[in-house]
């Protein structure tokens, strides 16, 4: 008896899942799914061989500008309050006046690049602060001529904190001590608060987002505007880091508002090339424009 269509689909899905498994102690850099080779994604290496390019030629990842939630979180933490005083739901929190200056500054920096080196495609989180940052970059001339409108992708959204939303660390200790203890025991990478997400959950949706970049935008110059945890989890995936490595980077300091993390494609690396880190948490575009550098966590700060 032959396999049904459903059986074939399940079998294919299981094969795909197995193909992504790796040794947790030595993870491999994320590899986008392969696709049919066409003229648009062929790259000639220095040794003369033609290879299929899955990655963008350039990838910039920008954290949104300072938001009203960043300011409220800093005030609440400074006063050792349990809750962060902000009226909007997290997805609707806008940029602060400082955040608007930062977004304009990084937009002017992109606009200062040669015309054929600016981002061709912009992908952005649906959260208002990220969309406003991306819009200001575009308005400053920071995208390539003829670039389409930024694409909103919910997979780039902020990490969801569930019942810990709008609580400071003090608030979590006071109101949900069992979650504070669970986070200490599991670590932030694996801890998932009720109705919220762990870093692993964010990484899962970002694997899918990178597949979309590979399928539709390989060999393009891509700008992603998103959030602190998204920046870090993309580094984890692209560079094939371990839990300890990415948490060490996180512990060294926050990702600054409107900082630039930059990758360039290197065809000489491996069978299909790789994205190589050019710079991380780059704040010169902000400082050179005279805008303040800020790095406060967002309003849903508790378990980041």
């Amino acid at each position: 008896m032959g396999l049904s269509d459903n059986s074939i689909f399940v079998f294919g899905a299981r094969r795909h899942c197995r193909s992504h498994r790796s040794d947790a102690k030595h993870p491999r850099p994320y590899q986008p799914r392969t696709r049919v080779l066409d003229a648009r994604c062929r790259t000639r290496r220095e040794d003369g061989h033609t290879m299929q390019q899955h990655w963008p030629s350039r990838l910039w990842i920008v954290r949104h500008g300072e938001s009203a939630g960043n300011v409220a979180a800093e005030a609440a933490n400074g006063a050792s309050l349990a809750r962060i005083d902000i009226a909007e739901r997290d997805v609707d929190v806008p940029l602060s006046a400082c955040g608007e200056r930062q977004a304009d500054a990084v937009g002017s920096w992109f606009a200062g690049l040669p015309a054929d080196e600016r981002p061709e495609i912009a992908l952005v989180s649906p959260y208002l602060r990220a969309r406003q940052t991306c819009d200001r970059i575009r308005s400053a001339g920071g995208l390539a001529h003829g670039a389409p409108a930024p694409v909103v992708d919910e997979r780039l959204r902020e990490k969801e904190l569930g019942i810990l939303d709008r609580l400071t660390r003090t608030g979590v200790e006071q109101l949900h001590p069992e979650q504070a203890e669970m986070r200490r025991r599991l670590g932030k990478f694996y801890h998932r608060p009720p109705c919220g997400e762990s870093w692993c959950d964010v990484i899962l949706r970002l694997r899918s987002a990178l597949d979309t970049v590979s399928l539709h935008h390989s060999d393009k110059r891509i700008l992603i505007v998103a959030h602190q945890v998204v920046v870090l989890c993309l580094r984890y995936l692209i560079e094939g880091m371990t839990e300890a490595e990415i948490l060490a980077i996180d512990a060294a300091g926050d990702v600054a508002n409107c900082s630039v993390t930059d990758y360039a494609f290197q065809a000489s690396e491996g069978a299909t090339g790789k994205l190589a880190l050019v710079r991380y948490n780059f704040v010169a575009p902000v400082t050179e424009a005279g805008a303040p550098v800020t790095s406060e966590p967002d309003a849903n700060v508790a378990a980041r």
Side-chain angles (χ1 to χ4, degrees):
M1 181 180 296
L3 292 172
S4 67
D5 288 343
N6 287 339
S7 296
I8 293 172
F9 176 79
V10 172
F11 178 69
R14 291 180 63 191
R15 288 185 62 191
H16 174 70
C17 290
R18 286 198 297 269
S19 69
H20 279 81
R21 291 179 182 173
S22 61
D23 186 336
K25 294 183 179 179
H26 302 286
R28 294 170 292 180
Y30 180 73
Q31 291 296 326
R33 298 178 188 176
T34 59
R35 64 174 179 158
V36 177
L37 180 65
D38 61 35
R40 294 174 301 168
C41 57
R42 289 184 180 134
T43 299
R44 184 167 294 278
R45 296 161 53 121
E46 293 180 359
D47 58 12
H49 290 89
T50 299
M51 58 174 288
Q52 183 176 359
Q53 181 172 333
H54 303 302
W55 290 112
S57 60
R58 197 82 181 213
L59 176 64
W60 296 274
I61 311 167
V62 173
R63 185 188 175 194
H64 61 79
E66 182 191 65
S67 71
N70 296 145
V71 177
E74 182 181 33
N77 282 308
S80 298
L81 299 177
R83 298 186 184 275
I84 299 166
D85 183 17
I86 191 163
E88 301 90 352
R89 58 180 187 153
D90 195 27
V91 70
D92 297 323
V93 173
L95 291 176
S96 66
C98 175
E100 291 177 348
R101 290 178 59 195
Q102 293 167 338
D104 291 341
V106 77
S108 296
W109 180 79
F110 276 111
L113 298 176
D116 60 353
E117 294 181 14
R118 297 173 199 153
E120 299 170 276
I121 303 291
L123 307 175
V124 61
S125 160
Y127 281 47
L128 180 59
R129 54 189 178 271
R131 289 188 286 113
Q132 288 179 331
T133 300
C134 193
D135 287 343
R136 297 184 86 92
I137 291 173
R138 188 186 188 200
S139 296
L143 302 185
H145 178 70
V151 177
V152 175
D153 192 325
E154 74 286 344
R155 294 169 296 184
L156 301 175
R157 69 187 183 275
E158 177 64 284
K159 176 180 175 288
E160 297 175 359
L161 293 185
I163 66 169
L164 305 185
D165 188 34
R166 305 306 174 88
L167 298 182
T168 62
R169 293 182 183 276
T170 299
V172 175
E173 294 281 353
Q174 291 177 354
L175 303 174
H176 297 284
E178 75 290 348
Q179 289 300 315
E181 175 57 31
M182 183 70 72
R183 184 174 181 272
R184 279 190 289 269
R185 187 164 64 85
L186 294 178
K188 67 163 65 175
F189 195 79
Y190 289 104
H191 176 244
R192 179 192 292 134
C195 303
E197 293 181 299
S198 67
W199 279 39
C200 292
D201 295 322
V202 176
I203 288 166
L204 180 62
R205 52 178 158 94
L206 291 178
R207 289 187 187 276
S208 169
L210 287 177
D211 273 344
T212 297
V213 169
S214 172
L215 288 168
H216 298 288
H217 309 305
S218 62
D219 201 27
K220 298 291 186 182
R221 301 184 300 275
I222 308 297
L223 168 66
I224 292 175
V225 182
H227 309 270
Q228 176 166 238
V229 172
V230 172
V231 174
L232 292 166
C233 289
L234 283 171
R235 283 202 66 182
Y236 170 87
L237 284 171
I238 293 169
E239 299 175 47
M241 293 185 179
T242 63
E243 174 193 1
E245 288 169 339
I246 193 58
L247 291 184
I249 292 171
D250 176 56
D254 287 329
V255 178
N257 294 112
C258 277
S259 64
V260 178
T261 296
D262 184 6
Y263 290 91
F265 180 73
Q266 291 187 347
S268 60
E269 297 290 336
T272 58
K274 64 175 287 188
L275 285 176
L277 183 68
V278 176
R279 49 198 156 195
Y280 166 64
N281 214 8
F282 180 61
V283 296
V286 174
T287 59
E288 289 173 0
V293 175
T294 57
S295 59
E296 301 97 343
D298 288 315
N300 60 345
V301 66
R304 178 166 289 104

